[in-house]
Amino acid sequence: MTDAFKQQIQAEARQAVEELLEQAKLKKGGVFVVGCSSSEIVGGHIGKDSSLDAAQAVYAGIAPVLAQRGIWLAAQCCEHLNRAIIMEREAAEQYGWEEVCVVPRPHAGGSWATTCWKQCKDPIAVEEIRAHAGIDIGGTLIGMHLRRVAVPVRLSLSRIGEANILCARTRPKLIGGERAKYTEED
């Protein structure tokens, strides 16, 4: 992978997360889930062409933006680890999410989860979470880790590298029917 392609991936990842955060309005302490197929980013097929370089470029684009805003990064593993989540122990404890015992590797968990594990101060794996927003890079299916109700978010870009991206934010359920008020201003 060329340095220019790594820089492109990093810049696209940063742009995507900044745009999504602008629309999602996450608060400090919120959780942002990222599913990432490094294989798809480099033009391969999901689960077949894992690339630590691509995963590291995505991390370099996303992690500083989230850290600056005090938002927790949750990294989804690949299907070989049942899409477990890698995150900081402090975040999991804050939300009461139960630890499971596994350490990701590029071909069992994926290059993305492996990169995040190595970058965390005190990494743990958890089986499931309910994130406030997230980005799916390359068809990794993050929906199982989002809070209800997920709302699709369109960005100005549709790819990171060669991988399609889908983004979502969440909102509370609207209940009560036509007489209900959903904000204080109503």
Side-chain angles (χ1 to χ4, degrees), residues 1 3-18 21 32 34 36 38 41 51-69 73 75 111-120 135 137 160:
M1 175 179 298
D3 285 341
F5 191 44
K6 286 182 205 174
Q7 290 173 354
Q8 174 192 331
I9 293 165
Q10 181 177 340
E12 289 170 347
R14 180 181 188 88
Q15 180 182 343
V17 75
E18 286 175 341
L21 288 174
F32 190 96
V34 177
C36 176
S38 62
I41 289 172
S51 169
L52 282 168
D53 285 342
Q56 290 163 356
V58 169
Y59 184 88
I62 291 176
V65 175
L66 296 177
Q68 180 182 30
R69 291 171 170 83
L73 172 61
S111 290
W112 169 245
T114 300
T115 296
C116 291
W117 180 275
K118 290 178 179 179
Q119 294 295 326
C120 282
I135 185 168
I137 305 169
I160 293 177

Side-chain angles (χ1 to χ4, degrees), residues 83-103:
R83 293 186 171 81
I85 296 290
I86 303 305
M87 64 190 327
E88 291 288 356
R89 180 178 305 278
E90 183 180 350
E93 289 175 352
Q94 175 183 331
Y95 284 94
W97 294 325
E98 186 176 349
E99 181 178 7
V100 293
C101 189
V102 71
V103 176

Side-chain angles (χ1 to χ4, degrees), residues 143 146-152 168-171:
L146 290 171
R147 290 178 165 205
R148 291 184 171 176
V149 170
V151 179
R169 65 176 178 82
T170 62
R171 64 159 173 77

